[in-house]
């Protein structure tokens, strides 16, 4: 459980600093960047599976229709998440992307209870409601429906739920997820370059190395997540997710000078109070469980 949580936390921390990388590709169309990200992730997985001689596992999984469909669905969900996130980063909406991942805890907690019968304490339900209240208040104060945040957070919450049901080895699973969406990515790259809307004329010299590097910065965190989520509850995963938006928030304000308003401050206060309550409740719950499991003298 502890090791799994550490893998998930490492994944979220890596995602938290990814805006620094996507900003370097800000001059390229966001859908083209997404397509390149998918293609080079696929290339990396092909290399990894060949080096590790794991193609037998892939063939075995492809023989299980339901498992393959789940992985294809996971690939579609993470593609939506990736695409909108890249667009948000490169269109001065890093704080909106940050808001999306602050919304993950209540969404993950609810999905965990509905789909996997994970039990929350009263304090944890209160913490979940508190975080949701902060999001609602922020939405009203901003004056617009936060569709960017809702789609980013919703797609990843559902992706987490699907991955929770997958039994396939992490590398084989990531390969099949990526393979499911690679044909569309290649089609978009070909059409965009043919129309002059791709990376041609935008990237020069060593800048072209950024595209294959997109596969590296994509695949490694996903591998960590795939390994860790199997032994980490969705509710705990939702709490750890706060590493991601906190780093994004700091980058958005300090590095890219997006405006941090009073509304952002209110939301920040709500979600961190929620996080503190959730962690305290989780500690008390585990302490109680350990005490009850102690043998009687």
């Amino acid at each position: 459980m502890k090791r799994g949580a550490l893998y998930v936390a490492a994944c979220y921390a890596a995602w938290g600093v990814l805006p620094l990388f996507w900003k370097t590709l800000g001059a390229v169309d966001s859908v083209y960047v997404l397509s390149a990200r998918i293609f080079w992730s696929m290339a990396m997985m092909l290399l990894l599976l060949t080096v590790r001689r794991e193609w037998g596992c892939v063939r075995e999984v492809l023989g299980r229709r339901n498992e393959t469909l789940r992985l294809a669905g996971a690939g579609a969900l993470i593609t939506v998440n990736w695409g909108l996130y890249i667009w948000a980063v490169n269109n001065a909406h890093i704080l909106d992307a940050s808001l999306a991942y602050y919304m993950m805890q209540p969404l993950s907690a609810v999905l965990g209870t509905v789909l996997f019968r994970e039990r929350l304490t009263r304090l944890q339900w209160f913490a979940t409601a508190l975080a949701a209240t902060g999001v609602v208040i922020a939405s009203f104060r901003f004056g617009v429906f936060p569709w960017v945040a809702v789609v980013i957070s919703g797609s990843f919450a559902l992706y987490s739920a699907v991955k929770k049901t997958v039994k396939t080895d992490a590398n084989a699973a990531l390969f099949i997820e990526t393979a499911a969406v690679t044909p569309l990515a290649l089609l978009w790259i070909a059409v965009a370059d043919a129309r002059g809307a791709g990376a041609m004329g935008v990237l020069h010299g060593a800048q072209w190395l950024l595209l294959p590097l997109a596969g590296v910065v994509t695949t490694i965190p996903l591998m960590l997540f795939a390994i860790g989520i199997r032994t980490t509850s969705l509710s705990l995963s939702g709490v750890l997710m706060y590493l991601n938006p906190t780093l994004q928030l700091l980058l958005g304000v300090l590095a890219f000078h997006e405006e941090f308003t009073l509304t952002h401050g209110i939301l920040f206060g709500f979600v961190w109070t929620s996080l503190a309550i959730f962690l305290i409740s989780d500690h008390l719950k585990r302490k109680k469980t350990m005490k009850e499991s102690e043998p009687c003298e």
Side-chain angles (χ1 to χ4, degrees), residues 26-297:
V28 184
D29 174 71
S30 294
V31 181
Y32 189 96
V33 174
L34 169 65
S35 300
R37 184 182 191 181
I38 293 170
F39 171 75
W40 287 107
S41 296
M42 180 67 172
M44 185 173 178
M45 292 310 303
L46 284 169
L47 177 62
L48 184 63
L49 289 170
T50 301
V51 170
R52 293 177 61 89
R53 299 180 181 180
E54 295 178 345
W55 286 107
C57 181
V58 173
R59 288 192 293 270
E60 180 186 344
V61 176
L62 291 175
R64 289 181 277 151
R65 184 171 177 272
N66 289 339
E67 185 82 344
T68 301
L69 288 175
R70 277 196 292 268
L71 289 170
L77 288 167
I78 200 63
T79 297
V80 171
N81 181 271
W82 288 353
L84 192 53
Y85 179 79
I86 293 171
W87 178 88
V89 168
N90 289 331
N91 286 273
H93 288 283
I94 293 178
L95 296 186
D96 288 335
S98 175
L99 171 61
Y101 290 103
Y102 278 127
M103 294 169 63
M104 276 296 301
Q105 195 278 327
L107 283 174
S108 295
V110 171
L111 280 177
T113 57
V114 172
L115 299 179
F116 305 108
R117 298 182 181 179
E118 295 177 0
R119 295 184 179 181
L120 299 181
T121 66
R122 290 181 181 179
L123 267 182
Q124 288 172 336
W125 276 116
F126 174 71
T128 299
L130 195 64
T133 300
V135 170
V136 171
I137 291 174
S139 300
F140 277 107
R141 287 183 61 89
F142 281 130
V144 294
F145 181 73
W147 68 272
V148 173
V150 169
V151 175
I152 291 177
S153 59
S155 59
F156 193 79
L158 289 171
Y159 174 77
S160 299
V162 173
K163 292 292 286 185
K164 187 76 175 172
T165 67
V166 169
K167 305 300 181 184
T168 305
D169 176 77
N171 292 341
L174 288 177
F175 170 78
I176 295 171
E177 288 176 35
T178 310
V181 292
T182 294
L184 288 176
L186 288 174
L187 178 62
W188 184 271
I189 289 173
V191 172
D193 280 332
R195 293 181 176 179
M200 298 289 186
V202 177
L203 299 181
H204 305 281
Q207 288 181 327
W208 281 98
L209 294 176
L210 292 172
L211 294 180
L213 188 57
V216 177
V217 301
T218 296
T219 305
I220 291 177
L222 275 177
M223 289 173 64
L224 293 172
F225 181 81
I227 295 169
I229 194 63
R230 294 180 181 179
T231 55
T232 305
S233 68
L234 281 182
S235 53
L236 179 56
S237 173
V239 172
L240 292 174
M241 176 62 78
Y242 283 128
L243 286 169
N244 180 356
T246 299
L247 290 171
Q248 290 183 48
L249 182 66
L250 292 173
L251 285 175
V253 174
L254 301 178
F256 302 116
H257 310 293
E258 292 189 13
E259 184 181 4
F260 186 82
T261 65
L262 175 60
T263 302
H264 288 110
I266 292 171
L267 174 58
F268 190 81
F270 265 97
V271 295
W272 276 105
T273 301
S274 168
L275 174 60
I277 294 172
F278 201 104
L279 290 176
I280 290 171
S281 178
D282 187 64
H283 173 72
L284 293 175
K285 182 179 179 181
R286 285 187 287 108
K287 189 175 180 180
K288 180 181 178 182
T289 301
M290 290 176 62
K291 187 175 180 179
E292 290 175 349
S293 64
E294 290 179 355
C296 297
E297 295 183 0

